[in-house]
Amino acid sequence: NNRIQHDAGCDYIKLMETKELAERFPWLNLENVALGSFGSQNEGYFDPWVLLQAMKKAAVGRGVEYVNGQVNSIIMGVSGKIDALGLTSGTAVSAN
């Protein structure tokens, strides 16, 4: 893949060994990783929090109701599918 990128003119994409990846990206789990291909420019970026908020707003606009609570039980129906979620507040939220 890295060779194809270079052949296409993307010479700013660097093949990095595990040590270099760990130094640059200390939060990565590099278990079973031998190499990584990193583009230092012309790469896309998105803000995951903004994406999440946009998806939530769209869901609410389609009738989804968000419930703030902690689940302590899963209530199964006779079909074997989840019927509801039991909350620590004592209420149950229907899955239907």
Side-chain angles (χ1 to χ4, degrees):
N1 189 28
N2 187 264
R3 183 179 300 131
I4 292 169
Q5 292 170 321
H6 277 249
D7 290 347
C10 301
D11 56 354
Y12 51 85
I13 296 178
K14 181 178 180 183
L15 200 57
M16 300 168 74
E17 294 188 4
T18 308
K19 182 180 178 192
E20 190 175 1
L21 287 168
E23 289 169 359
R24 184 157 185 141
F25 309 104
W27 61 88
L28 288 179
N29 176 357
L30 297 170
E31 185 178 334
N32 299 318
V33 174
L35 296 168
S37 188
F38 174 70
S40 61
Q41 63 187 40
N42 298 329
E43 297 295 319
Y45 172 80
F46 76 96
D47 183 333
W49 181 252
V50 172
L51 176 62
L52 176 64
Q53 295 308 307
M55 293 174 69
K56 182 177 179 181
K57 183 177 179 180
V60 169
R62 289 176 172 80
V64 171
E65 178 186 353
Y66 280 81
V67 177
N68 188 10
Q70 188 172 13
V71 175
N72 66 356
S73 64
I74 299 173
I75 304 160
M76 303 300 289
V78 293
S79 67
K81 294 182 180 179
I82 297 173
D83 246 5
L85 299 174
L87 305 180
T88 55
S89 65
T91 60
V93 179
S94 173
N96 299 317

